[in-house]
Amino acid sequence: MDLGVRWKLHGDGRTPAPGAVVRPDERLSWPRTAGLGAQHVVAMFGASFVAPVLMGLDPNLAIMMSGVATVVFLLATRGRVPSYLGCSLSFVGVAAVIRAQGGSSATVTGAVFVVGAALFLVGLAVQRFGARIVHAAMPPIVTGAVVMLIGFNLAPVTATTYWPQDQWTALAVMVFTGLAVVCLRGFWSRVAIFLGLVFGYVLSWALDRIFGRIHSVDASGKVTDHWRLDLSGVGRADWIGLPSFHGPSFEWSAILVALPVVIALVAENAGHVKAVGEMTGDSLDDRLGTAIAADGVGSMLSTAVGGPPNTTYSENIGVMAATRVYSTAAYWAAACFALLFGLCPKFGAVVAAIPGGVLGGITVILYGMIGLLGAQIWLNAGVDLRNPLNLVPAAAGIVIGVGNVTMEFTDTFSLSGIALGTLVVIIGYHGLRSLAPPHLKEPREPLLDEVTSSYDSGSGPEPGQRAKS
């Protein structure tokens, strides 16, 4: 059985010839491959470490299980789809909602485990019946609205939890990160979130040395005098050790909040596979279902031991586009590096010490970008919001999701926010479509080809290539 773990040496193994690309089944010399693997790990650092911290989960376990999930993905796709699976930011909002309802880390991971299982089943269905089943259930108007309400539902978390801890550091980090995203080029623009974290970390340390403690709310919500950057946990952490594991706990209320994220994950995976296929010149349509299912399995493995869910990363597509090296050997190297980082508790303690003000500046941009991806899906698919069939369900669902509107069905069961907004969009769209006059029923544009974001022309083999964010 070909598992995609044999690679031909590309040229002399040093540098690709002008205009040439290193294909997934090729590799450069092993030292260069290891270097590329390390570059892929750095590229995913920002989001992969921010996400578990925001979800209240162990960042060491997150990075370790991202390596495991990447290995599973590479084996499942037989080495044809180069990809790194890092912690998914799409779940940050549902984690916040679940914890606000009194849920524990086990409740969060239990709900996300079910999402991983649902994603696995969707992947099997796509593999068996083709992408048309997804097109029929989730046209772009639905997908865009759900992604938008998931992102914007997070706004109160930034406004009430992170930003007040240190508003001036948050503002400085927001400005720095925004400048990094816009002004930097190539690889550095892909790791702008990571650079923003480093900047905020150093700035917080410097402000503590210059001005001393800050009087503001701390991570627990109490107004007190505290250090912006508390490194006490770093000193206590061991250099080598296993991360903390825990089993999932399943509660229907939490599961219903998390399930809508399946829609975003399907779109993310589809955009990733499409973009990689365009860059390598190798049609990967036959791998779409496998890629979605493999992502689901990776998330299930991670959440089963207390880690966060995983998904494909556009940051790593940016690295491939910049280097023109699509070798899956580099991703195997990245997975090995991730496993090693996961075995260093001191490294995880450094990540866990990220100041709240720094997270405030980062999340202002990050959460907004997640939400605006929904608008981008609409633009790429040419969704007409003048059509009331599109406008009404999307408008109602987004306001319900962003405003965290609640519907109480019984004393013990209610739906609110993301879950309720998603149901309103999906049921509202299909219900109205069944009753709408023929002239309002526009031809449906494919979802899976139009959910990706653009990279600058010249950063990859073709201008305007797209990848998931």
Side-chain angles (χ1 to χ4, degrees):
M1 179 183 294
D2 180 16
L3 296 178
V5 293
R6 295 181 179 180
W7 302 274
K8 297 175 291 185
L9 187 65
H10 178 87
D12 60 2
R14 296 181 180 178
T15 305
V21 300
V22 180
R23 296 179 56 78
D25 60 348
E26 298 177 329
R27 66 170 176 84
L28 298 177
S29 65
W30 284 116
R32 286 172 173 76
T33 297
L36 286 166
Q39 192 175 13
H40 279 298
V41 172
V42 172
M44 64 84 188
F45 258 9
S48 259
F49 279 112
V50 169
V53 170
L54 297 178
M55 295 173 69
L57 301 175
D58 184 353
N60 261 74
L61 183 57
I63 189 66
M64 174 184 287
M65 295 311 296
S66 74
V68 172
T70 299
V71 169
V72 169
F73 186 91
L74 294 173
L75 290 174
T77 58
R78 303 290 191 267
R80 288 186 58 197
V81 185
S83 179
Y84 193 93
L85 266 62
C87 183
S88 175
L89 286 162
S90 299
F91 288 92
V92 172
V94 301
V97 172
I98 292 170
R99 289 188 181 279
Q101 295 174 347
S104 64
S105 293
T107 309
V108 171
T109 54
V112 176
F113 179 92
V114 175
V115 175
L119 187 64
F120 171 71
L121 295 176
V122 171
L124 294 183
V126 170
Q127 195 171 19
R128 174 66 178 84
F129 301 106
R132 63 182 180 275
I133 63 170
V134 181
H135 296 163
M138 299 184 298
I141 181 61
V142 171
T143 310
V146 172
V147 172
M148 186 175 290
L149 67 87
I150 287 173
F152 291 155
N153 179 266
L154 296 166
V157 177
T158 294
T160 61
T161 302
Y162 299 121
W163 192 278
Q165 292 184 43
D166 187 355
Q167 61 177 2
W168 295 111
T169 295
L171 179 63
V173 171
M174 180 192 73
V175 172
F176 177 90
T177 305
L179 289 172
V181 171
V182 174
C183 299
L184 298 181
R185 293 291 182 266
F187 170 75
W188 293 109
S189 69
R190 309 302 175 206
V191 295
I193 298 298
F194 177 68
L195 296 177
L197 288 174
V198 173
F199 169 79
Y201 216 100
V202 174
L203 176 63
S204 297
W205 177 86
L207 292 175
D208 281 342
R209 303 285 80 75
I210 298 170
F211 299 107
R213 296 173 183 249
I214 185 174
H215 183 75
S216 67
V217 296
D218 59 14
S220 66
K222 297 179 180 178
V223 178
T224 181
D225 291 325
H226 61 93
W227 296 110
R228 297 169 181 82
L229 178 62
D230 182 4
L231 295 175
S232 59
V234 178
R236 295 191 299 267
D238 296 327
W239 281 101
I240 300 176
L242 290 172
S244 58
F245 299 98
H246 70 258
S249 175
F250 302 99
E251 296 182 13
W252 273 112
S253 58
I255 292 170
L256 290 174
V257 169
L259 273 176
V261 182
V262 170
I263 297 175
L265 295 180
V266 171
E268 287 175 350
N269 277 277
H272 182 92
V273 172
K274 180 72 174 178
V276 172
E278 289 179 352
M279 287 191 293
T280 62
D282 181 18
S283 176
L284 298 175
D285 291 348
D286 62 324
R287 295 284 92 188
L288 177 58
T290 302
I292 294 173
D295 187 358
V297 172
S299 291
M300 291 167 66
L301 288 174
S302 179
T303 53
V305 296
N310 295 288
T311 190
T312 52
Y313 262 36
S314 64
E315 289 87 344
N316 298 96
I317 286 203
V319 173
M320 291 191 293
T323 62
R324 302 172 72 86
V325 177
Y326 309 110
S327 172
T328 53
Y331 283 103
W332 277 92
C336 291
F337 282 124
L339 291 172
L340 291 176
F341 276 123
L343 294 173
C344 181
K346 193 172 289 291
F347 182 75
V350 170
V351 175
I354 297 173
V358 177
L359 293 176
I362 292 290
T363 54
V364 162
I365 295 176
L366 205 57
Y367 293 169
M369 288 172 64
I370 295 172
L372 289 176
L373 281 175
Q376 183 175 300
I377 290 173
W378 289 344
L379 290 173
N380 289 343
V383 172
D384 183 7
L385 291 178
R386 295 170 299 179
N387 185 338
L389 177 57
N390 294 329
L391 180 63
V392 172
I398 289 171
V399 169
I400 287 173
V402 175
N404 213 30
V405 174
T406 300
M407 285 285 294
E408 296 182 357
F409 296 92
T410 68
D411 292 339
T412 58
F413 178 73
S414 64
L415 287 174
S416 63
I418 294 173
L420 182 59
T422 299
L423 287 175
V424 167
V425 174
I426 295 176
I427 296 175
Y429 174 80
H430 289 290
L432 290 174
R433 186 178 179 86
S434 66
L435 301 173
H439 71 277
L440 293 182
K441 299 179 182 180
E442 302 170 335
R444 292 180 176 178
E445 296 292 334
L447 162 67
L448 299 184
D449 292 340
E450 300 293 348
V451 296
T452 56
S453 57
S454 298
Y455 280 103
D456 295 338
S457 59
S459 64
E462 295 293 338
Q465 284 176 339
R466 299 184 293 271
K468 179 285 298 184
S469 292

